Amino acid sequence: MSASWPFTVIGEVDSPFKEKFSVPRQPNLADEVRGRVVFFSPFNQAALFSGLEQYSHIWLQFVFDQTAKQGWKPSVRPPRLGGNKKLGVFATRSPFRPNPVGLSCVKLESVEIDNKQQASLIISGLDLVDKTPILDVKPYVPYADCLRDASSELSAEPPKHLSGVTFSPVLTDLLADIHHIEPSFQKVVEQVLLQDPRPAYHQQSQSDRIYGVRLFKWNVRWTVSNNTCYVSDIHLS
């Protein structure tokens, strides 16, 4: 027999990632990426967060809302394995799950309380798309959550990076202007693109294909050649 349980969305994420493409495949791979968790009433009351500022990191339980309608799959092809090998969904972190629920550990930069005693959380290292629904928040407790004898044969090492990110010289003035609006923009772009967000089957071939992604309020366009990312264009989305 199976049972269903109702859950209440308590808030959502304000994130620079406006689409799934280019989101780091795990949290904290791009630690310059900052966002905010905004809570809905009555879950935004300051009293609910008393003491949370004493923790450096938190767990966010969220909904894979952008993939939920596509349903779940009993086996998937993890990008980490080049998209060529199938694993059981429960042996992966695929979003195509029987229940579209994810868990992400992010750095807690601050707990912000406004003049109405309503709270929001400033976080960094996030791997969540803008407007991702949040179901719960829990503190990260190092002695319990960091298991020193844990192992993972399939993903023992962090994913490989591209060797570098360069920007077209024609973007120099624009990047300077953007810096006044969003000081972390260039660093975020570099960290995100170094992860090589291309589909796994594209990473094995050489081409002049141009990729694009929305970060903050800009469209970033780039190509990859000789293991280096070249940003050719940035414009408002």
Side-chain angles (χ1 to χ4, degrees):
M1 296 180 64
S2 61
S4 296
W5 293 88
F7 289 92
T8 300
V9 173
I10 64 172
E12 65 182 18
V13 175
D14 181 3
S15 166
F17 299 114
K18 305 306 178 183
E19 54 187 311
K20 290 188 300 175
F21 184 53
S22 87
V23 174
R25 294 189 175 101
Q26 301 295 340
N28 299 299
L29 293 180
D31 57 12
E32 289 287 337
V33 180
R34 288 198 174 203
R36 180 188 297 266
V37 184
V38 180
F39 296 93
F40 307 138
S41 179
F43 312 109
N44 58 356
Q45 299 174 39
L48 278 71
F49 302 88
S50 177
L52 189 62
E53 72 281 352
Q54 299 179 57
Y55 295 90
S56 66
H57 292 72
I58 56 175
W59 291 104
L60 296 178
Q61 192 166 18
F62 63 91
V63 179
F64 286 111
D65 60 312
Q66 295 203 5
T67 58
K69 292 183 179 180
Q70 300 176 46
W72 67 283
K73 300 176 181 179
S75 60
V76 297
R77 299 179 185 271
R80 183 64 181 275
L81 302 180
N84 299 317
K85 182 178 180 180
K86 282 191 174 183
L87 293 177
V89 66
F90 292 139
T92 75
R93 296 192 176 189
S94 168
F96 301 102
R97 319 188 69 79
N99 290 307
V101 177
L103 190 64
S104 185
C105 180
V106 298
K107 184 177 181 182
L108 177 62
E109 297 289 347
S110 64
V111 179
E112 295 202 343
I113 310 295
D114 65 17
N115 55 12
K116 295 182 180 180
Q117 289 299 294
Q118 296 177 350
S120 61
L121 306 179
I122 306 300
I123 58 176
S124 64
L126 66 157
D127 59 342
L128 303 173
V129 182
D130 194 42
K131 307 302 181 186
T132 292
I134 297 298
L135 298 177
D136 198 12
V137 177
K138 291 183 176 69
Y140 177 92
V141 181
Y143 81 86
D145 295 339
C146 182
L147 305 178
R148 298 183 183 278
D149 58 347
S151 64
S152 170
E153 294 182 11
L154 292 175
S155 53
E157 300 295 331
K160 294 181 179 179
H161 288 181
L162 294 174
S163 60
V165 177
T166 61
F167 294 82
S168 169
V170 301
L171 299 175
T172 301
D173 291 341
L174 176 60
L175 287 170
D177 291 339
I178 293 176
H179 180 77
H180 293 298
I181 302 170
E182 187 59 60
S184 66
F185 176 79
Q186 184 169 344
K187 190 64 175 179
V188 168
V189 171
E190 291 173 352
Q191 287 193 342
V192 168
L193 297 187
L194 277 174
Q195 307 295 322
D196 196 356
R198 295 177 299 165
Y201 59 90
H202 286 189
Q203 297 175 9
Q204 308 304 318
S205 62
Q206 294 289 330
S207 73
D208 295 328
R209 180 166 181 167
I210 298 176
Y211 298 88
V213 65
R214 294 171 60 214
L215 286 171
F216 299 95
K217 59 181 180 180
W218 290 277
N219 279 317
V220 180
R221 296 171 67 83
W222 79 94
T223 57
V224 177
S225 178
N226 298 321
N227 205 43
T228 298
C229 179
Y230 179 77
V231 179
S232 58
D233 183 45
I234 299 172
H235 57 270
L236 284 172
S237 59

